Amino acid sequence: MVAAATAVDGGAKVIVLEKMAMIGGNTARSEGNMSAMDPEPEKLLPMTPAVRDIVKKYTDQKPCTKEVAQLQQTVKDQLKAHNAAGKKYIFDSPELFALQTLEGGDCHNDPKLVLTMTRNATAAMEWLEKQSDMKWYHVPRYWVDVGIGGIYPRGQWPRHADGKTPISTYDAYISPLADKVTKAGGHIYTQMKVMQIVRGKDGRVTGVIAVDKNGKNQAFNGKNVILAAGGYGANLKMVKKYNNINVIATSNQPGTTGEVLEEAVKVGAGLTGMKWIQIHPHGNPKNGELESAIAGRPSDTPYVNVNGDRFVDETGRRDDISHGILAQPGQVVYAIFDQKTIDQKKVRDDLMQIALGHGYAYKADNLNDLAKAAGINQAEFAKTMAAYNEASRTQNTKSLPVPKILIGMPVDKASFYCVPITTTIHHTMGGLRINEKTQVLDTKGHVIPGLYAAGKITGGIHGGNRLGRNALTDLLVFGHIAGMQVSPKP
Ligand SMILES: Cc1cc2nc3c(=O)[nH]c(=O)nc-3n(C[C@H](O)[C@H](O)[C@H](O)COP(=O)(O)OP(=O)(O)OC[C@H]3O[C@@H](n4cnc5c(N)ncnc54)[C@H](O)[C@@H]3O)c2cc1C
């Protein structure tokens, strides 16, 4: 929808084909949180020693490629200049963002695509804000947290016009763009499933064939085709084809089945990184749905196993946390936080009430009763929480049995909450090969004329492990580029 709205702005005639009864896909299902550098960085909170440690972790680790080595040096120079200028607020830059995305993805990503994303992230965020009266809540202006697997305080949350009230992701990311497309004379078809991509003898893609809700084939011709059909996380057969992962639940909407990607391969498209599939640590153990909205903020929330022990740095990478969970007894662990998290609106009270009503969370007046309700070993849990809270108060986590790079508030104010979590198939990082202009490349790296792709259907941006919040940055940046590419007046 980002590509379609951008294209109509550029004077293109647009048709959007959606196979489900409703538009929005996983984007509408998501929390809507994206990563971008703050447009007014001087408003950010002061840079704490822990945030400095995070930067150092990425600038000082052994570089996995020469591009990463260059970025490490650039970031060191930028940080030095930031300090020399007496700037006290949290340091950030497109290069730090790129460095973390590359190292977080174990350098299986394409550095050119990554830098395209990070250098255009803030502009893309501002572009979306202009499409309706939504406003961004720039989280690091209010508290320091990394989000689940986001590894740096760079989170941007969509809000209503007052800048505070939560807005549905559909209303922030989908409906204003869909309205723009239809108002400009574009057509949005639902229950119209793309079955085939048509490529002419001259090598140019000229359209697609779709099947409508009555089972009738419909041909759509166009000067250009943009593929934005998402990933394949809800297609277990395809997941197993590329990665024999031992998780079957998924957070994805049921239409995330990857057939458009497979059709693109039939017309010559190349693939990259297909074996990289992210399992998310915030799966609901009963149904695989994502619990991130109620599982607390990672810096404030210790995760313990059924024995009452912490086992991982909650502010680290998603793959480390998920594989940590898989190594725990029963492969279910517990996110623990207190009333401050609710009072400070880091977790919405209305969502927590729903979760409690469904039996997806526990609440108690003290930590001992909380452990009892959740079936966690009470004696060990008491020891773990005492040490954790002491580390939080002294901001010294090095003596913890499992250190934590960024520790937030102690868990010490009634009521207390516990959310059981496990792993769930979340993000298929591999997909179609594209270049920085979102043109789809064939298996030899040549452009397929007339064919573009953006979002989760593409590969190369997130490497072996997608950072939290980077998917929406990806689709905003590359969706926008794709829309401009096909516009008569970009
Ligand atoms: C529960 C959840 C929470 C998330 N939260 C966040 C978050 O806060 N921040 C973040 O960065 N990322 C988040 N993500 C990831 C992010 O939402 C997705 O990676 C992103 O929305 C993918 O966007 P997309 O446009 O590529 O695909 P989608 O938004 O899934 O859109 C693809 C559309 O194509 C349609 N389609 C598929 N096949 C066909 C076909 N054959 N014919 C016609 N239409 C077809 C699908 O039905 C779908 O509507 C979350 C994901 C989930 C599941």
Side-chain angles (χ1 to χ4, degrees):
M1 210 53 85
V2 174
T6 307
V8 298
D9 267 347
K13 284 190 185 160
V14 169
I15 294 171
V16 178
L17 307 178
E18 166 59 57
K19 73 175 174 185
M20 305 301 276
M22 212 187 106
I23 55 171
N26 278 323
T27 307
R29 176 179 269 233
S30 78
E31 283 183 86
N33 304 337
M34 70 172 288
S35 278
M37 280 82 54
D38 196 301
E40 295 176 83
E42 60 287 351
K43 292 191 174 164
L44 296 176
L45 289 173
M47 180 107 174
T48 61
V51 177
R52 283 187 193 282
D53 283 349
I54 301 178
V55 177
K56 197 167 159 46
K57 178 173 169 186
Y58 289 92
T59 54
D60 289 13
Q61 64 181 249
K62 190 166 177 267
C64 38
T65 61
K66 72 174 187 319
E67 287 90 353
V68 162
Q70 280 161 3
L71 282 170
Q72 285 178 325
Q73 191 52 52
T74 304
V75 171
K76 280 183 192 167
D77 294 344
Q78 289 172 338
L79 181 58
K80 211 167 147 193
H82 181 90
N83 295 336
K87 294 176 180 168
K88 301 279 182 240
Y89 53 82
I90 295 169
F91 162 75
D92 203 359
S93 73
E95 289 72 26
L96 174 62
F97 187 6
L99 177 66
Q100 292 172 327
T101 301
L102 285 162
E103 290 189 327
D106 292 326
C107 290
H108 298 297
N109 357 31
D110 176 340
K112 287 198 197 115
L113 293 178
V114 171
L115 276 164
T116 302
M117 178 178 82
T118 63
R119 288 182 174 149
N120 291 290
T122 303
M125 168 173 74
E126 293 182 307
W127 175 85
L128 189 70
E129 200 172 44
K130 288 196 195 105
Q131 306 308 310
S132 68
D133 60 359
M134 65 83 81
K135 284 270 167 290
W136 289 105
Y137 184 80
H138 305 285
V139 180
R141 295 185 191 179
Y142 306 98
W143 68 77
V144 180
D145 183 67
V146 292
I148 182 70
I151 70 173
Y152 202 66
R154 193 181 281 128
Q156 315 291 344
W157 292 5
R159 288 290 181 261
H160 275 289
D162 64 5
K164 290 183 198 151
T165 314
I167 185 171
S168 80
T169 312
Y170 181 82
D171 287 332
Y173 282 80
I174 304 293
S175 69
L177 306 184
D179 286 352
K180 173 176 258 188
V181 171
T182 47
K183 276 188 195 137
H187 293 284
I188 300 175
Y189 295 90
T190 53
Q191 293 178 288
M192 188 67 78
K193 181 176 180 181
V194 172
M195 305 295 283
Q196 195 188 329
I197 297 165
V198 182
R199 190 173 182 191
K201 286 209 177 81
D202 62 354
R204 190 171 182 89
V205 167
T206 56
V208 298
I209 296 176
V211 61
D212 69 17
K213 62 180 173 194
N214 301 315
K216 206 170 153 213
N217 278 359
Q218 305 278 356
F220 294 91
N221 302 318
K223 276 191 191 156
N224 298 290
V225 171
I226 300 174
L227 305 178
Y232 52 95
N235 181 342
L236 202 52
K237 201 168 159 204
M238 211 165 152
V239 164
K240 294 272 179 200
K241 175 173 164 188
Y242 292 107
N243 182 327
N244 198 20
I245 208 166
N246 197 17
V247 173
I248 54 168
T250 183
S251 61
N252 287 192
Q253 66 107 352
T256 318
T257 44
E259 65 276 3
V260 174
L261 186 151
E262 292 192 314
E263 287 306 312
V265 171
K266 288 186 195 158
V267 295
L271 294 175
T272 180
M274 292 298 283
K275 71 174 173 179
W276 305 116
I277 295 176
Q278 178 167 84
I279 48 172
H280 196 297
H282 279 171
N284 180 323
K286 293 183 179 167
N287 58 25
E289 300 270 336
L290 213 65
E291 302 272 53
S292 296
I294 56 156
R297 308 315 307 166
S299 56
D300 300 326
T301 305
Y303 301 162
V304 300
N305 61 20
V306 72
N307 299 329
D309 296 319
R310 281 182 65 244
F311 58 94
V312 77
D313 179 348
E314 299 83 353
T315 55
R317 291 167 47 144
R318 267 187 197 171
D319 53 353
D320 289 341
I321 301 170
S322 289
H323 289 110
I325 292 175
L326 291 177
Q328 303 312 305
Q331 301 186 334
V332 171
V333 301
Y334 305 88
I336 310 290
F337 55 92
D338 70 6
Q339 189 62 34
K340 298 195 292 300
T341 290
I342 304 279
D343 293 346
Q344 294 175 16
K345 298 189 172 23
K346 294 176 175 176
V347 166
R348 281 167 52 186
D349 190 38
D350 56 337
L351 297 182
M352 180 46 74
Q353 294 311 322
I354 294 169
L356 288 165
H358 279 84
Y360 296 159
Y362 302 94
K363 179 179 178 182
D365 292 338
N366 58 62
L367 284 169
N368 197 43
D369 286 352
L370 190 72
K372 192 172 172 196
I376 301 167
N377 181 308
Q378 290 161 272
E380 189 62 21
F381 181 63
K383 279 192 227 155
T384 299
M385 294 307 295
Y388 183 88
N389 283 339
E390 179 61 15
S392 161
R393 289 187 195 105
T394 58
Q395 285 293 298
N396 178 4
T397 69
K398 299 212 164 74
S399 58
L400 286 174
V402 179
K404 178 161 179 159
I405 200 161
L406 182 69
I407 194 163
M409 310 181 288
V411 185
D412 60 1
K413 182 183 174 195
S415 299
F416 296 91
Y417 298 85
C418 165
V419 179
I421 49 174
T422 188
T423 58
T424 186
I425 295 171
H426 188 60
H427 199 96
T428 45
M429 270 88 67
L432 302 176
R433 283 180 72 184
I434 56 164
N435 61 18
E436 298 104 292
K437 293 180 177 172
T438 68
Q439 292 168 301
V440 176
L441 306 178
D442 67 17
T443 50
K444 294 192 174 128
H446 300 132
V447 167
I448 299 180
L451 191 62
Y452 297 81
K456 205 168 161 189
I457 195 170
T458 67
I461 295 151
H462 307 292
N465 169 58
R466 170 171 76 72
L467 299 194
R469 304 180 305 248
N470 269 11
L472 294 178
T473 313
D474 165 2
L475 78 85
L476 273 174
V477 168
F478 290 103
H480 198 54
I481 293 174
M484 287 194 287
Q485 286 295 316
V486 302
S487 297
K489 38 175 185 161

